[in-house]
């Protein structure tokens, strides 16, 4: 079977979100003897390609052209030249209006429809860039022969907000990368602690810092818990968001215990999870919440918001809390740091739940979608 991927986002070195999904899926599909074609309008970053077997893919880079021309003309023409069986776009948008082969879209969430535009001024919603983005999404969603999504909650939102027939959607879970499954030696943990100057036990969060991630809620809960000799460590976010959270920490009297790491190296993340007292995910909206899988697989206790897909993915792998009542998270943090048996139980729950998520399973289920569509 020949499968072409819209791989243009792999031109960026970052390995978060959509790129992590794409690389892990490509890696496991290659073990199923699927011939992979990676299409882009820019050179693909060598750090991603290094994770794939050298003989498992062929790269096709288009000459310089406007994006819309690349997506709507070059992609289908290249599919025809390579005689591929399936064109798969793993990044929510990026499929042409017409194609010589069936098209599959991985639609991770419908955040734009549900959340992103709610608080924007009306004039920004009608900005040219937003209109173009909506058009690209509309074409991909409505012209795909089949849609893969990553949680039952996302599936229901796709049906509700986009009026996509249920039979056109398949749910296939993501998983943590294999790097999280490797045993972390003590020396590596100490190296990462030293690198980020983390001397005390800490509560951990990694991800975006935008409004829907609900980071001020976590900071306020940590301040109210008033834990002795415990830090709150936040990784991710953008430089311009740093000052706002730092000021909040100062106003709550926890400036010395709030560690804002910013963007951290992917290689350091497993150790940051493993050394944490717990991982807290207070997000208001997620399509899957991959960080839950990453934390669970290293045995890091997990507290997640009772919001969207997070309870579905977490299952019995940790505890959930209301994002409308801060006291629930406060009490969980206090219990975790004061009850060793409770902590040990959460470690075991996390490890057991992590066994439900595996990229080999994800790839086999994706292959079945390909076969059914053909």
């Amino acid at each position: 079977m020949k499968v072409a991927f819209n791989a243009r986002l792999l031109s960026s070195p970052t390995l978060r979100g959509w790129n992590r999904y794409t690389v892990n899926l490509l890696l496991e599909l290659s073990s199923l003897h699927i011939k992979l074609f990676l299409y882009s309008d820019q050179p693909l970053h060598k750090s991603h390609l290094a994770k794939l077997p050298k003989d498992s893919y062929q790269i096709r880079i288009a000459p310089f052209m406007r994006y819309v021309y690349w997506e709507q003309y070059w992609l289908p023409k290249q599919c025809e030249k390579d005689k591929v069986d399936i064109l798969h776009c793993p990044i929510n948008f990026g499929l042409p209006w017409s194609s010589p082969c069936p098209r599959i879209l991985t639609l991770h969430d419908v955040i734009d429809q549900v959340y992103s535009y709610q608080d924007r001024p009306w004039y920004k919603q009608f900005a040219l860039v937003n209109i173009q983005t909506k058009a690209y999404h509309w074409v991909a969603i409505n012209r795909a022969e089949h849609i893969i999504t990553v949680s039952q909650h996302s599936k229901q939102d796709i049906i509700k907000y986009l009026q996509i027939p249920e039979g056109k959607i398949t749910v296939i879970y993501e998983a943590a990368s294999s790097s999280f499954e490797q045993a972390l030696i003590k020396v590596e943990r100490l190296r990462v602690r030293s690198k980020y100057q983390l001397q005390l036990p800490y509560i951990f969060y990694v991800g975006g810092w935008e409004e829907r991630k609900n980071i001020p809620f976590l900071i306020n809960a940590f301040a109210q818990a008033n834990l002795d000799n415990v830090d709150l460590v936040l990784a991710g976010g953008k430089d311009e968001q740093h000052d706002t959270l730092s000021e909040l920490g100062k106003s709550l009297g926890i400036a010395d215990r709030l560690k804002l790491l910013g963007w951290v190296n992917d290689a350091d993340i497993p150790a940051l999870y493993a050394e944490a007292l717990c991982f807290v995910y207070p997000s208001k909206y997620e399509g899957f919440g991959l960080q839950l899988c990453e934390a669970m697989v290293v045995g890091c206790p997990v507290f997640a918001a009772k919001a969207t897909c997070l309870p579905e993915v977490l299952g019995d792998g940790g505890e959930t809390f209301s994002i409308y009542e801060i006291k629930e998270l406060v009490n969980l943090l206090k219990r975790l740091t004061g009850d060793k048996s409770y902590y040990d139980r959460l470690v075991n729950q996390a490890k057991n739940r992590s066994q439900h998520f595996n990229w080999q399973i994800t790839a086999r289920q994706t292959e079945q979608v390909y076969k059914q569509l053909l």
Side-chain angles (χ1 to χ4, degrees):
M1 187 189 303
K2 295 181 177 181
V3 179
F5 269 72
N6 179 337
R8 68 185 304 270
L9 289 194
L10 296 185
S11 61
S12 167
T14 180
L15 190 58
R16 303 292 168 83
W18 291 346
N19 276 357
R20 193 181 293 277
Y21 170 87
T22 303
V23 171
N24 281 293
L25 181 58
L26 288 171
L27 175 61
E28 295 302 332
L29 287 176
S30 69
S31 69
L32 299 177
H33 306 294
I34 293 174
K35 295 180 180 179
L36 300 169
F37 293 79
L38 308 184
Y39 294 167
S40 178
D41 57 346
Q42 305 169 59
L44 304 184
H45 201 274
K46 60 183 180 180
S47 63
H48 302 313
L49 298 178
K51 295 179 173 64
L52 307 176
K54 290 184 178 180
D55 59 349
S56 68
Y57 61 87
Q58 297 182 49
I59 298 175
R60 303 285 189 263
I61 306 297
F64 176 77
M65 62 186 69
R66 294 184 63 183
Y67 172 78
V68 66
Y69 187 80
W70 177 83
E71 178 188 279
Q72 296 300 319
Y73 178 78
W74 187 89
L75 272 181
K77 284 294 183 182
Q78 194 61 49
C79 286
E80 186 174 25
K81 287 181 181 179
D82 289 326
K83 299 180 180 178
V84 299
D85 300 302
I86 296 284
L87 174 59
H88 186 168
C89 183
I91 56 173
N92 276 26
F93 68 95
L95 288 177
W97 179 267
S98 62
S99 171
C101 61
R103 290 150 293 181
I104 290 179
L105 176 71
T106 298
L107 185 57
H108 298 261
D109 52 60
V110 289
I111 288 175
D112 285 344
Q113 288 77 11
V114 176
Y115 188 85
S116 294
Y117 294 103
Q118 290 180 359
D119 299 322
R120 292 184 185 179
W122 66 268
Y123 57 86
K124 287 190 176 182
Q125 295 188 35
F126 290 97
L128 179 59
V129 63
N130 288 331
I131 293 174
Q132 288 175 330
T133 299
K134 288 181 178 180
Y136 296 144
H137 282 242
W138 187 92
V139 170
I141 291 166
N142 287 276
R143 299 299 291 179
E145 276 78 15
H146 201 82
I147 289 174
I148 294 173
T149 194
V150 293
S151 67
Q152 292 293 339
H153 185 275
S154 283
K155 177 179 178 178
Q156 294 308 313
D157 271 357
I158 291 169
I159 294 170
K160 176 181 178 181
Y161 290 96
L162 302 177
Q163 286 77 54
I164 303 297
E166 182 175 3
K168 190 180 175 180
I169 308 168
T170 298
V171 175
I172 302 177
Y173 286 145
E174 300 179 59
S177 301
S178 59
S179 60
F180 287 87
E181 299 174 3
Q182 299 169 5
L184 287 165
I185 60 175
K186 191 63 177 177
V187 172
E188 173 64 10
R189 293 186 179 204
L190 292 176
R191 179 193 70 80
V192 172
R193 269 191 174 272
S194 176
K195 178 178 180 179
Y196 297 104
Q197 301 179 24
L198 304 176
Q199 298 173 344
L200 295 176
Y202 61 89
I203 310 299
F204 185 53
Y205 168 85
V206 59
W209 294 355
E210 60 264 34
E211 196 276 335
R212 72 176 170 88
K213 296 294 187 176
N214 208 20
I215 305 304
F217 181 94
L218 171 55
I219 295 175
N220 275 281
F222 175 78
Q224 289 188 31
N226 194 27
L227 307 174
D228 292 333
N229 296 314
V230 176
D231 287 337
L232 175 60
V233 175
L234 307 180
K238 300 178 180 178
D239 291 343
E240 59 266 27
Q241 298 165 322
H242 185 284
D243 290 345
T244 300
L245 296 185
S246 181
E247 287 299 319
L248 176 59
K250 290 179 183 178
S251 69
L252 295 172
I254 59 167
D256 59 331
R257 293 186 293 145
L258 178 61
K259 310 297 183 183
L260 303 177
L261 304 187
W263 205 253
V264 298
N265 291 337
D266 286 297
D268 297 336
I269 294 177
L272 287 170
Y273 280 121
E275 282 293 290
L277 288 171
C278 69
F279 171 72
V280 182
Y281 208 11
S283 181
K284 298 176 183 178
Y285 190 98
E286 294 296 326
F288 182 77
L290 186 58
Q291 292 96 318
L292 300 183
C293 290
E294 294 174 346
M296 289 190 292
V297 79
V298 301
C300 178
V302 178
F303 298 147
K306 295 176 186 173
T308 61
C309 69
L310 299 183
E312 173 190 343
V313 175
L314 183 61
D316 58 2
E319 301 272 21
T320 58
F321 57 88
S322 171
I323 57 174
Y324 305 105
E325 177 47 69
I326 201 168
K327 203 66 178 176
E328 288 189 19
L329 178 54
V330 171
N331 291 337
L332 288 173
L333 295 176
K334 287 182 176 180
R335 184 179 179 187
L336 177 79
T337 54
D339 186 342
K340 181 63 164 58
S341 63
Y342 179 59
Y343 170 85
D344 291 340
R345 176 160 64 84
L346 287 176
V347 169
N348 290 328
Q349 287 179 214
K351 289 182 177 178
N352 291 336
R353 176 62 177 170
S354 71
Q355 302 303 311
H356 289 78
F357 306 95
N358 184 291
W359 277 108
Q360 294 177 352
I361 296 174
T362 300
R364 287 196 295 269
Q365 291 176 342
T366 303
E367 182 189 34
Q368 286 303 310
V369 173
Y370 295 161
K371 290 180 177 178
Q372 290 169 9
L373 194 56
L374 290 175

